[in-house]
Amino acid sequence: MSGKETFGMVLRRLRRRSRLTMEELAEASGVSVRAIGDMERGRSRVPQRRTVAALAEGLGLADAERESLLVAARAGRPTHAAAVAPPRTVGDFTGREREVAWLREAAARADIGAGAAVSVLSGPPGCGKTTLALKAVADLAGEFPDGCFVVDLHGVADPVDPGEALVRLLKALGVSDRQLAQEDAPGHAGLLRALLAERRCLVVLDNARDESQVRPLLPAGGRSLVLITSRRPLTGLEDVDRLALSEMTQVEAVELLRRVLGAERADAEAGAVARVAELCGRLPLALRVAANWLAVRSGWSVDHLVRRLADEERRLGALAAGDVRVEAAFELSYQQLTPHAARMLRLLSLVPGPDMTAAYGAALTSTGVFEAEDVMEELVEAGLLQAALTGRYQLHDLLRLFARARLRDEEPGEREAADGRLRAWLLDTAVVAGRWYKPGFGAPPSSWQGLVPLDTTEQARDWLEGETFSWLAALRGAARLGEHTRVVETAEALSYFAAFWGPWTEVYRLSSEAAAALGDPRLQAVHLNYHAWALGNIEGRYREAIERADEALECARRAQDASQQAQALVYAAWPHKQLGELQERLEKCRSAVELFEAAGDQEGWLQGMSAYRGALRDVGRAEEALALHGPLTAYLDAPDCPLPGPYVETARARLMSGLGRDCAALGRWREAADHFRSVLLQAEQLGVTVIVAQTLLDLGGALTELGEREEARACYQQLLALGEAADGDDLEAAQKLLDSLPAE
């Protein structure tokens, strides 16, 4: 082998001699095609020893040739010493006030021996760990009279041997070469511990690879403080304080851009600057790259960079300035992953929601939850996935784009299959969870084996609400791909759960479109009715709701389905009321009751009668409305009531609310207030926010009539405190009524 050959040249020569394509070598070694191509062309760093060993194994090299490949790799790596550098200042340091205060407190505790002498700053690539550590050194230098020292351990690219770092640090502390020569490695570690114990020093061990690299460099006590920065949390270290970093806040990110760009230029395009901060994922490295890019191109607008970054396929490539590339920072950590962890990272990029559980990893990889959790924890250890105390994981937006690009390049046929696995799991789980609330279903069948526990209605509700973003995205994907039956089945399973909060207007728009594509008029009537309900009851789009209900009525007539005809009339009734069309409402409710009775639909009859009762009250026939309360209550109390438990309790609350309104319409305000208090208690226990909000309005009105204005005021304030969880119309009404109350 010629001494002039680079590692890439040697690798290409050996691959060709073995008559292997890049794809074949990739399959044999587990190293990606892209990585092999980059190495052969000299476009990437020389790989780590384990990558070289994998390539040698894939090439089937004998011992001598294997050693030659390793020698070529070592020769291609830049040499460096574990120099102890003087601290450098960070002139445009921005934000991180909480973290800086935490480090200041750590220094104070170390001074009096009340805290750990070691603090680990961990976080994903580019989150500003080193910058924060250097800021701490600059701020705290006066508190460490025996010196501040920074050692770059090069832990990600080419880790420094801990023995070498130990010697360099001892020299910086004044230990002579002669004294060093008298001790072996354990003796050097003991000497460092003794020096740090008797002095007040601040040592930054920057960019540590793992626990074994830093253990010999740590003090056993004393007043010195050692700060370790690492992409890994170094969980194997004991008796240390830990500070996990992530992205900056939006305010901090914008301020960092302003400092680099200059306030005048940044403020002139404040909206675009804010958008750049968002597109950079508020990651400090990405923000600095973007700001430097703009600073060099002073004639370009900030909005121009926004347009470049808006393209997800090109965003990472655009975040490069000179030799600093955000993508390269991610690549260094990615190359250290095991094959299982690297694949998990690639697949997790497909999760549509802002966070995930281990069940997502299991669904994507077709493994068990515990197996997936183990691999995801490896990603946490590598600083590529963030874990929360809630048991959920987060993948930074830029890391998501990086991982998705690797999936495209390394497993070009896998994205569609993995998307399908995730979509199927999300929608299958949504169906099982939603059916807890449907008559005739309840608990999952014994044959069902899911990745999440759905043994109670509470667990079902928690999953549906907690994973709304993801299962809704899966439903959109199914609709886009023409999986009409799956869309309709999922929406139908959720129809009773729709009494609770959810994105029902979109869900039932998608399902009504899917039903139309299937060409079944009855199915179309069902889902058009659901859509009409959502438009009217959730979004207040009353005229559209009536139009959709009319479409449902026509489909139901074509299908000769009396129950769905009645449903269409009921779902039009509420919008008619809101539009002041009270007679139309009354007539449609009366017709709906007759159709439900003709069809023998008891559940529909309850719904129709409740609507008819309200319609009677609103046209001034409150006594007739009040007379209906008994039959309706008897229906719910009957042993053979076909409704599921959670729905029955919600229906009871609504009936009691109707009783309060009947009494209010008759001027029996004390009775009305008592009924509303009872409803409020039930609704709060059930967690049905819409009933809570409506009842607070009703109770406030009754209390105002009774002259109990302070309690009425409290009702309106309680409703306003619900914020976005309540309907906008209810919030507006509460504010107006609150403002109308005279000051006490």
Side-chain angles (χ1 to χ4, degrees):
M1 179 172 65
S2 169
K4 297 182 180 180
E5 283 187 304
T6 66
F7 175 80
M9 295 166 62
V10 175
L11 178 60
R12 185 187 301 112
R13 176 169 55 77
L14 292 173
R15 177 177 61 78
R16 289 178 174 175
R17 193 198 66 183
S18 299
R19 299 182 182 277
L20 293 175
T21 65
M22 287 188 190
E23 289 77 8
E24 289 169 337
L25 178 55
E27 183 176 356
S29 65
V31 180
S32 72
V33 174
R34 175 174 175 166
I36 293 171
D38 286 348
M39 284 185 277
E40 289 192 359
R41 297 180 185 94
R43 294 178 180 173
S44 65
R45 289 178 177 270
V46 176
Q48 297 298 305
R49 183 183 180 91
R50 67 176 183 176
T51 302
V52 179
L55 290 168
E57 187 70 27
L59 291 166
L61 300 182
D63 290 345
E65 292 172 326
R66 181 187 298 262
E67 184 59 31
S68 297
L69 192 63
L70 288 169
V71 168
R74 284 196 295 270
R77 292 194 185 108
T79 58
H80 59 262
V84 178
R88 53 187 171 86
T89 59
V90 185
D92 57 2
F93 185 88
T94 304
R96 302 295 196 191
E97 293 179 3
R98 181 186 67 84
E99 292 83 358
V100 169
W102 187 92
L103 290 172
R104 190 174 292 112
E105 291 171 3
R109 290 194 301 270
D111 189 27
I112 61 175
V118 179
S119 293
V120 177
L121 314 182
S122 64
C127 72
K129 300 178 292 294
T130 298
T131 302
L132 176 60
L134 293 178
K135 170 64 174 174
V137 171
D139 287 356
L140 300 171
E143 298 182 25
F144 293 91
D146 296 315
C148 298
F149 310 93
V150 179
V151 185
D152 188 351
L153 297 176
H154 296 274
V156 181
D158 194 8
V160 170
D161 180 80
E164 180 183 350
L166 188 59
V167 168
R168 296 287 180 175
L169 190 52
L170 286 170
K171 284 186 175 182
L173 288 167
V175 178
S176 65
D177 288 338
R178 179 178 179 182
Q179 188 176 0
L180 287 170
Q182 295 174 352
E183 301 282 355
D184 56 10
H188 292 160
L191 182 57
L192 178 64
R193 286 194 294 272
L195 290 173
L196 293 179
E198 67 186 26
R199 300 183 187 182
R200 174 74 166 156
C201 300
L202 175 57
V203 179
V204 175
L205 302 177
D206 190 33
N207 199 9
R209 179 184 180 89
D210 53 29
E211 293 89 343
S212 63
Q213 190 185 28
V214 297
R215 275 200 178 97
L217 309 175
L218 302 183
R223 299 171 58 232
S224 292
L225 178 64
V226 174
L227 301 181
I228 306 172
T229 72
S230 177
R231 298 184 180 189
R232 300 173 178 272
L234 306 182
T235 52
L237 295 181
E238 299 177 353
D239 193 26
V240 301
D241 291 328
R242 288 189 170 81
L243 178 62
L245 291 186
S246 58
E247 65 271 17
M248 305 177 88
T249 67
Q250 179 68 6
V251 172
E252 290 173 335
V254 169
E255 182 58 27
L256 176 56
L257 291 172
R258 288 182 78 250
R259 287 200 176 192
V260 181
L261 289 177
E264 182 177 353
R265 184 181 178 192
D267 293 346
E269 293 187 78
V273 169
R275 184 62 180 142
V276 168
E278 293 169 356
L279 291 170
C280 288
R282 306 190 302 278
L283 194 70
L285 175 62
L287 292 165
R288 287 187 177 278
V289 168
N292 289 342
W293 192 91
L294 286 168
V296 171
R297 297 161 178 81
S298 57
W300 290 21
S301 68
V302 181
D303 189 60
H304 182 81
L305 179 58
V306 169
R307 292 194 296 273
R308 288 175 63 90
L309 296 178
D311 184 349
E312 288 191 350
E313 297 295 326
R314 299 179 56 188
R315 188 176 305 166
L316 282 175
L319 288 172
D323 63 348
V324 180
R325 296 189 304 121
V326 173
E327 187 174 16
F330 296 160
E331 182 71 36
L332 289 172
S333 289
Y334 179 72
Q335 289 297 332
Q336 294 181 13
L337 296 175
T338 64
H340 286 306
R343 182 168 186 262
M344 178 67 82
L345 181 67
R346 295 193 295 269
L347 294 179
L348 290 179
S349 70
L350 302 177
V351 174
D355 56 10
M356 67 203 80
T357 63
Y360 284 78
L364 284 162
T365 57
S366 300
T367 60
V369 173
F370 293 133
E371 292 87 343
E373 187 175 56
D374 288 343
V375 180
M376 291 169 76
E377 285 297 325
E378 182 181 339
L379 293 174
V380 173
E381 287 291 319
L384 296 176
L385 195 64
Q386 293 172 278
L389 294 176
T390 57
R392 302 186 72 85
Y393 299 89
Q394 289 182 319
L395 183 62
H396 189 274
D397 288 346
L398 294 181
L399 273 168
R400 186 188 302 272
L401 295 180
F402 171 84
R404 196 173 294 167
R406 292 298 172 273
L407 178 63
R408 180 192 63 228
D409 294 343
E410 298 179 29
E411 298 181 87
E414 178 62 10
R415 175 167 183 170
E416 184 177 346
D419 261 331
R421 291 193 297 271
L422 182 61
R423 184 170 62 255
W425 170 68
L426 285 166
L427 297 184
D428 287 349
T429 307
V431 166
V432 173
R435 283 176 175 169
W436 257 112
Y437 295 85
K438 281 184 70 67
F441 287 95
S446 58
S447 60
W448 185 75
Q449 295 182 341
L451 297 175
V452 293
L454 295 176
D455 300 323
T456 65
T457 54
E458 290 76 14
Q459 289 178 338
R461 179 174 178 176
D462 287 346
W463 189 88
L464 286 169
E465 292 184 346
E467 312 304 331
T468 297
F469 193 101
S470 292
W471 64 252
L472 181 58
L475 193 71
R476 292 182 189 125
R480 186 174 60 253
L481 293 169
E483 298 174 354
H484 304 309
T485 300
R486 182 182 286 278
V487 171
V488 167
E489 180 186 46
T490 304
E492 177 60 41
L494 294 169
S495 59
Y496 277 75
F497 183 73
F500 302 95
W501 176 89
W504 306 117
T505 304
E506 182 176 4
V507 167
Y508 291 116
R509 176 184 61 79
L510 293 173
S511 66
S512 60
E513 291 170 354
L518 292 171
D520 184 333
R522 183 193 175 279
L523 205 58
Q524 193 174 358
V526 170
H527 290 272
L528 282 169
N529 273 326
Y530 291 152
H531 193 206
W533 165 81
L535 286 168
N537 289 58
I538 294 179
E539 297 207 5
R541 293 155 61 180
Y542 304 122
R543 191 58 65 190
E544 290 180 69
I546 293 171
E547 292 171 358
R548 200 67 71 248
D550 288 345
E551 292 178 42
L553 181 61
E554 181 57 33
C555 289
R557 284 171 175 164
R558 291 206 315 269
Q560 298 182 339
D561 189 308
S563 287
Q564 288 305 314
Q565 292 175 49
Q567 290 286 3
L569 294 170
V570 169
Y571 288 137
W574 172 256
H576 276 306
K577 173 186 176 178
Q578 298 306 107
L579 293 170
E581 300 164 354
L582 301 184
Q583 196 58 41
E584 290 90 336
R585 179 193 185 203
L586 181 64
E587 291 172 1
K588 286 190 174 182
C589 288
R590 183 189 296 115
S591 297
V593 170
E594 293 171 356
L595 283 166
F596 280 132
E597 288 177 345
D601 185 342
Q602 295 183 25
E603 181 185 338
W605 175 85
L606 174 66
Q607 183 182 11
M609 284 290 284
S610 298
Y612 181 52
R613 175 188 185 179
L616 284 170
R617 182 192 315 120
D618 289 342
V619 295
R621 296 159 63 179
E623 288 287 359
E624 293 177 64
L626 183 61
L628 294 177
H629 184 74
L632 291 171
T633 302
Y635 172 82
L636 291 179
D637 290 341
D640 59 347
C641 178
L643 302 181
Y647 188 85
V648 168
E649 294 308 313
T650 302
R652 286 186 196 281
R654 292 187 184 279
L655 282 185
M656 185 63 69
S657 179
L659 181 59
R661 290 172 182 171
D662 292 341
C663 291
L666 293 168
R668 292 151 57 175
W669 296 109
R670 180 59 63 192
E671 291 178 68
D674 290 342
H675 293 315
F676 290 141
R677 286 193 181 95
S678 176
V679 174
L680 186 59
L681 181 61
Q682 285 180 274
E684 288 175 337
Q685 291 174 341
L686 291 169
V688 185
T689 306
V690 65
I691 301 180
V692 171
Q694 292 167 354
T695 306
L696 286 168
L697 275 179
D698 289 332
L699 179 56
L703 291 167
T704 300
E705 292 291 338
L706 291 167
E708 299 172 8
R709 294 190 181 91
E710 278 307 303
E711 190 177 350
R713 192 188 310 278
C715 287
Y716 299 141
Q717 290 172 338
Q718 185 179 343
L719 198 165
L720 291 172
L722 295 174
E724 294 182 358
D727 180 78
D729 289 342
D730 290 340
L731 293 171
E732 183 179 351
Q735 188 62 61
K736 287 181 178 179
L737 290 167
L738 185 62
D739 294 341
S740 69
L741 288 175
E744 292 293 332

